[in-house]
Amino acid sequence: MKKIALIMDGWKRFFTYAWPAGILQKIREANEDINLYIFNSSGDWSWDANYNAGEYNIYKLPDFNDFDGIIMDLNNIRYPEIVDEIAQIVRNTGKPAISISNKLPGFYYVGIDNRKSMMTIMEHLYSTHNCRRFWFIMGPKSNYENSIRANALREFMQSHQLDYKEGDFYFESYEYSCGYRGFTYLMSRLGENEKLPDAIVCASDNIAVGVLEAAGKMGYRIPEDFCVTGFDNFDKAAFYSPKITTVGHIREDIGYLCADLLIRIWEGKPVEQYNYTDSQYVFWDSCGCKNNAKINQSEHAKGQILYDIETTDFEEQVLGLEYALLNCQSIQEIAACLPACIPAFKCDAIYLVLDDHINDFHRDVSYFNQNLIDDGKFHTKGYPDTMSVEFAYDMRAGTTHDRQTIDSLFPMFDSPQQGGTDFLFMPLHFRQYTIGYFVIKNAVYLLEKQYLFKVMNVLTSAMRNLYEKEKLGYINKILADMNVKDAMTGLYNRLGFQELVCSLFDEKKRKGENLLILFVDMDRLKYINDTFGHDYGDISIRIIASTIMEYCGKNDIPVRNGGDEFIIVRENMDPASYEKMICNMRSTVTAKARQHQLPFELTFSVGAVCTDMRSDQTLDDYIRIADETMYEEKTRKKANRV
């Protein structure tokens, strides 16, 4: 079974589903035992650099040496250092690797021929429509494909000896707003005696629509006043009025060709360094062409209506999910809400894999730990060596799997029985702090429907809210404990004794239920302090206290009564169990003293008394009896040492 890794970044929160769809189509057609592993981020849409760092960390999750081939779509990442880092990591593997739509040194290239496509559009405007003066409204300067298109435009103008200046170019994004603002900006710079351009060439259909809207509001008519062209051949090109001249290509073909290249490389067949998919040139009304191709307006409208219905239904499911998450008390409950609340979540299985630090506040921590409340305990680069699969759900069988710990992606996410399986990995993070990742098995349907970003956003928000709620509960508990806990040992202090032991004694008195009271006193503290120093005395006290804590149950109350005196109050237990507990405590103290390399023997004396709630004796009476019993043991030890 071979493995292909696909690295890609979503476009404005949308998943690029065409690449995996095309890859899987080729795998299934070839009947090859190949699985696809998709590592997807959504860092393109946010201007929060910390958020984006959390997104892009997903690329550090896999060990790319585990894969037989790697496909990279890095064209939407606007941080050059991120692109360079990923490319170098992949390059170091020595595995065959393909870059989509971005020519990077050392990799095969698959994409459309942007230069040829733009030159063809320009030649059409020049030869067919006699255009000589142009404006160019383009995407981001940092985008590789956009730079190729812009350079092709400059090359055409120069080769045809047409006048132009860099001020005729407007660079921003591939969005509608770019077209609207770009046209408005270029119009504002138009001199009083300058003529309008013959054509405005846009780097995308979205930009072209923005230009047409802005021009229409200013009273211009297209193509009577000037031509407009787009790029990509999205639906808006055919259904806008006027229909937009554009360049089309089947995006799935890029993924298909990537998989085909890797298969041929594995078979030892020669392949080209640069590989292009076909483009189609669609000349419509916006440049003055008459196209006889029929556009089915009714089918398009029907599709839009069904899409709106489906989207509304999904939005209602997301609202239901948000409501259900409000009542979740654990990460596992949060994850279980997904299949329950989102029937549209069509896939084979989902997995929630987390840094175990997410569970810090579930543990019974009775002392303040700054590291617990500091988000810096989470990774910002890479992932922990081991992580916990907190939730694994088989969507087809409707079954969950037990929590387990993993230290790599494989064999957990292997699927050796059937080729053509895909696994989608998405980051989970609190801004730059990585808390884990989410995995979906056979997720192409969800990628195409664009459901995932909203679901992931709701899921992450719920996890963050739960985590902050648990952190606040922990801090409040520690603050409350500060009044009743001894700072040195973490045991209850005298105030804690008054609040807890006294009320417990009264309650048991009413119910007629007995208690066991132990009075523990460390031996020879004065001798230790005088001979070895108070630091050794403090260490000894902490050893005794930690041992008491270790052997106390959830309902027991351990108290530091003062200095080297301790009281343990617990529910009644039989003499044999009591003797065994004391024996184990003595062994533990001896072992800890040895670990600390104490230059003396560390021991304690203990007295015990079981209450008789039918008598008139008070709590103070029982404490005194336990103290006297302890003192008897201490006296015997002194006599034996003489």
Side-chain angles (χ1 to χ4, degrees):
M1 178 69 70
K2 292 192 181 304
K3 301 182 181 73
I4 295 176
L6 171 60
I7 304 169
M8 64 182 194
D9 186 49
W11 176 66
K12 297 295 178 185
R13 293 173 282 187
F14 294 111
F15 291 80
T16 312
Y17 70 90
W19 310 150
I23 294 168
L24 291 168
Q25 179 186 349
K26 175 60 184 179
I27 290 172
R28 289 161 185 163
E29 282 184 10
N31 196 28
E32 295 279 354
D33 288 333
I34 305 169
N35 286 334
L36 176 64
Y37 296 82
I38 308 164
F39 302 93
N40 187 89
S41 70
S42 295
D44 174 62
W45 72 276
S46 174
W47 289 104
D48 181 354
N50 285 328
Y51 175 91
N52 294 341
E55 285 290 311
Y56 294 137
N57 198 40
I58 192 67
Y59 303 140
K60 293 186 174 67
L61 173 65
D63 180 350
F64 290 110
N65 290 291
D66 293 336
F67 296 88
D68 302 282
I70 303 163
I71 302 170
M72 302 177 296
D73 171 24
L74 308 179
N75 217 21
N76 290 329
I77 300 177
R78 61 176 178 269
Y79 301 95
E81 64 275 13
I82 298 293
V83 175
D84 293 343
E85 182 180 15
I86 297 167
Q88 191 57 49
I89 290 172
V90 172
R91 198 176 285 117
N92 289 342
T93 67
K95 301 297 177 72
I98 300 169
S99 177
I100 293 177
S101 303
N102 195 347
K103 290 183 180 178
L104 297 173
F107 301 113
Y108 296 98
Y109 172 88
V110 170
I112 63 172
D113 192 333
N114 286 283
R115 177 187 174 279
K116 177 183 176 182
S117 297
M118 199 56 86
M119 295 286 275
T120 301
I121 287 292
M122 289 293 289
E123 184 62 45
H124 175 78
L125 293 170
Y126 179 87
S127 300
T128 304
H129 300 291
N130 200 34
C131 295
R132 296 295 184 270
R133 174 161 163 69
F134 296 85
W135 282 351
F136 309 105
I137 303 183
M138 310 301 292
K141 281 188 174 182
S142 60
N143 182 275
Y144 174 80
E145 285 191 298
N146 186 73
S147 65
I148 296 299
R149 294 173 192 177
N151 286 335
L153 296 171
R154 295 186 182 98
E155 180 184 344
F156 184 91
M157 298 294 285
Q158 293 166 2
S159 65
H160 288 72
Q161 299 181 334
L162 298 175
D163 290 334
Y164 80 98
K165 54 185 180 296
E166 282 302 310
D168 295 331
F169 284 83
Y170 179 86
F171 293 91
E172 186 182 310
S173 69
Y174 286 119
E175 304 303 320
Y176 165 90
S177 58
C178 170
Y180 199 101
R181 283 196 290 263
F183 179 77
T184 304
Y185 172 77
L186 292 172
M187 285 296 297
S188 70
R189 292 169 55 89
L190 190 66
E192 189 173 326
N193 297 320
E194 284 187 274
K195 294 182 179 180
L196 288 169
D198 299 319
I200 300 176
V201 178
C202 303
S204 74
D205 295 338
N206 288 332
I207 295 174
V209 171
V211 169
L212 292 168
E213 283 293 300
K217 288 185 178 180
M218 292 184 186
Y220 296 109
R221 297 181 304 159
I222 312 301
E224 289 81 1
D225 291 316
F226 48 82
C227 301
V228 175
T229 65
F231 207 105
D232 290 326
N233 196 23
F234 292 146
D235 282 351
K236 54 179 67 70
F239 293 99
Y240 191 81
S241 180
K243 298 180 183 67
I244 301 171
T245 291
T246 188
V247 178
H249 59 98
I250 301 174
R251 292 162 64 80
E252 286 81 357
D253 285 356
I254 290 179
Y256 186 98
L257 181 53
C258 286
D260 182 66
L261 276 178
L262 288 176
I263 291 172
R264 283 190 280 149
I265 290 170
W266 294 331
E267 291 174 346
K269 297 178 180 178
V271 297
E272 297 294 328
Q273 185 75 25
Y274 303 109
N275 304 269
Y276 301 99
T277 57
D278 293 333
S279 298
Q280 300 84 39
Y281 305 96
V282 185
F283 303 113
W284 286 111
D285 304 349
S286 69
C287 72
C289 286
K290 300 300 178 184
N291 193 318
N292 295 324
K294 293 184 178 181
I295 301 299
N296 195 328
Q297 295 278 1
S298 61
E299 278 300 311
H300 179 70
K302 177 182 176 182
Q304 285 298 114
I305 291 170
L306 292 176
Y307 174 79
D308 290 343
I309 291 172
E310 186 180 65
T311 300
T312 300
D313 184 52
F314 173 69
E315 295 285 354
E316 290 178 356
Q317 291 178 25
V318 171
L319 288 174
L321 174 64
E322 288 180 303
Y323 178 76
L325 293 176
L326 293 175
N327 299 314
C328 290
Q329 301 300 315
S330 70
I331 294 295
Q332 293 76 19
E333 288 182 16
I334 287 175
C337 282
L338 287 180
C341 298
I342 309 287
F345 219 70
K346 297 178 182 177
C347 58
D348 285 358
I350 59 175
Y351 308 85
L352 183 64
V353 186
L354 298 176
D355 185 330
D356 197 43
H357 281 304
I358 201 74
N359 296 308
D360 278 347
F361 303 118
H362 286 295
R363 302 182 177 95
D364 185 17
V365 181
S366 57
Y367 57 92
F368 179 73
N369 185 340
Q370 178 65 41
N371 291 330
L372 286 185
I373 63 173
D374 184 3
D375 285 347
K377 64 191 175 184
F378 293 114
H379 285 58
T380 56
K381 293 184 178 179
Y383 287 76
D385 292 335
T386 59
M387 301 186 73
S388 299
V389 183
E390 298 283 347
F391 185 82
Y393 184 79
D394 188 316
M395 301 287 278
R396 292 182 179 273
T399 56
T400 56
H401 301 279
D402 293 338
R403 182 178 186 271
Q404 58 180 297
T405 299
I406 59 174
D407 55 12
S408 63
L409 298 185
F410 308 112
M412 180 73 193
F413 299 110
D414 271 328
S415 185
Q417 289 78 25
Q418 179 183 5
T421 298
D422 65 270
F423 291 90
L424 171 64
F425 296 80
M426 294 175 291
L428 291 168
H429 56 99
F430 301 155
R431 293 190 74 205
Q432 72 268 37
Y433 299 113
T434 293
I435 62 169
Y437 55 93
F438 194 68
V439 187
I440 304 176
K441 182 179 180 181
N442 289 333
V444 172
Y445 173 84
L446 296 172
L447 290 173
E448 181 179 358
K449 293 298 181 181
Q450 301 299 343
Y451 289 153
L452 284 176
F453 182 83
K454 287 185 178 180
V455 172
M456 292 298 294
N457 191 43
V458 170
L459 175 67
T460 304
S461 295
M463 293 173 65
R464 178 83 205 198
N465 290 339
L466 177 63
Y467 177 78
E468 293 296 336
K469 177 182 175 182
E470 291 175 341
K471 181 196 290 187
L472 182 60
Y474 167 74
I475 293 173
N476 286 336
K477 177 178 180 294
I478 295 301
L479 289 174
D481 282 352
M482 284 181 178
N483 289 324
V484 297
K485 291 288 184 69
D486 173 56
M488 179 177 175
T489 64
L491 303 182
Y492 288 104
N493 56 24
R494 288 181 181 273
L495 180 58
F497 177 87
Q498 293 295 326
E499 289 187 4
L500 299 175
V501 178
C502 293
S503 61
L504 177 63
F505 184 85
D506 292 341
E507 178 188 346
K508 294 297 185 181
K509 184 83 169 176
R510 289 193 302 271
K511 293 180 179 179
E513 298 175 354
N514 291 324
L515 294 170
L516 178 68
I517 299 175
L518 306 177
F519 199 105
V520 179
D521 190 275
M522 194 179 103
D523 295 330
R524 302 194 302 163
L525 176 60
K526 185 177 185 306
Y527 164 77
I528 293 171
N529 285 335
D530 293 345
T531 307
F532 302 100
H534 285 271
D535 286 345
Y536 275 106
D538 290 347
I539 292 172
S540 301
I541 290 172
R542 290 193 185 98
I543 289 175
I544 300 292
S546 66
T547 302
I548 289 173
M549 186 86 75
E550 188 175 330
Y551 283 90
C552 279
K554 184 178 181 181
N555 297 321
D556 297 339
I557 304 175
V559 178
R560 185 184 182 196
N561 196 44
D564 57 352
E565 294 180 349
F566 305 92
I567 297 172
I568 305 171
V569 179
R570 62 185 310 166
E571 295 184 3
N572 199 2
M573 61 192 302
D574 63 84
S577 298
Y578 155 70
E579 293 293 343
K580 182 178 179 182
M581 183 189 80
I582 297 301
C583 181
N584 290 338
M585 286 176 62
R586 295 189 197 279
S587 298
T588 300
V589 166
T590 299
K592 290 182 178 181
R594 190 178 300 115
Q595 290 174 359
H596 283 79
Q597 297 181 338
L598 298 185
F600 49 83
E601 182 183 13
L602 180 60
T603 61
F604 62 85
S605 300
V606 60
V609 61
C610 182
T611 65
D612 181 357
M613 295 304 186
R614 295 170 299 178
S615 73
D616 295 331
Q617 288 181 305
T618 65
L619 175 60
D620 288 340
D621 293 333
Y622 288 115
I623 296 294
R624 188 185 68 255
I625 295 171
D627 183 17
E628 291 172 352
T629 307
M630 177 278 299
Y631 190 74
E632 290 174 2
E633 180 183 345
K634 190 178 288 284
T635 301
R636 289 195 299 271
K637 288 180 179 177
K638 287 181 180 179
N640 290 333
R641 285 198 296 269
V642 175

